[in-house]
């Protein structure tokens, strides 16, 4: 999965690609850079030459592709529906407890 977008408020397409086990090539930007954890590569935003080099590197290196694919599938577990719901639940409970103490 490749995107040159520098703004991803809710990076659903990136998370969907991760859930499918797709390696990522993304710009190194806030909100995006947190989504590569051994499952892809960054390029400097607006650096087309570097982006092309990353695409070529990933598309010609089967070992690297498989490594990133495996890491994407592992990372996607963190963002599955049940785990995200548990994370939201914890945030709500923690804030309710804080409000109750006031």
């Amino acid at each position: 999965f490749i995107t040159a977008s520098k703004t991803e408020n809710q990076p659903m397409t990136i998370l969907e690609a991760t859930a499918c086990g797709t390696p990522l090539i993304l710009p190194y930007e806030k909100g995006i850079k947190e989504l590569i954890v051994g499952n892809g590569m960054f390029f400097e935003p607006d650096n087309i030459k570097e982006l092309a080099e990353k695409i070529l590197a990933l598309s010609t290196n089967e070992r690297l592709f498989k490594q990133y694919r495996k890491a994407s599938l592992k990372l996607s577990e963190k963002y599955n529906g049940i785990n995200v719901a548990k994370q939201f639940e914890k945030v709500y409970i923690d804030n309710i407890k804080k409000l109750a103490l006031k």
Side-chain angles (χ1 to χ4, degrees):
F1 178 82
I2 303 161
T3 185
S5 175
K6 296 184 282 187
T7 56
E8 292 291 334
N9 295 344
Q10 295 178 331
M12 292 307 298
T13 56
I14 296 170
L15 293 175
E16 289 167 349
T18 301
C20 292
T22 306
L24 308 173
I25 300 176
L26 308 174
Y28 191 78
E29 285 286 342
K30 184 178 180 180
I32 297 174
K33 63 185 179 185
E34 295 82 5
L35 298 174
I36 290 188
V37 184
N39 59 328
M41 297 184 245
F42 291 114
F43 64 93
E44 201 56 43
D46 300 319
N47 187 331
I48 296 169
K49 182 179 181 203
E50 184 182 10
L51 172 57
E53 289 169 354
K54 302 290 177 161
I55 293 169
L56 186 61
L58 187 58
S59 65
T60 59
N61 187 329
E62 187 175 348
R63 181 194 58 77
L64 187 62
F65 184 90
K66 287 180 179 180
Q67 174 187 331
Y68 289 163
R69 176 174 170 70
K70 184 177 178 181
S72 273
L73 288 170
K74 185 174 191 301
L75 181 63
S76 72
E77 294 170 12
K78 177 180 178 181
Y79 298 106
N80 75 27
I82 293 170
N83 288 335
V84 169
K86 286 179 182 178
Q87 291 171 27
F88 275 117
E89 180 182 42
K90 182 180 180 332
V91 169
Y92 290 132
I93 290 171
D94 289 349
N95 282 304
I96 289 169
K97 287 178 181 176
K98 286 178 188 175
L99 290 172
L101 293 175
K102 286 185 175 184

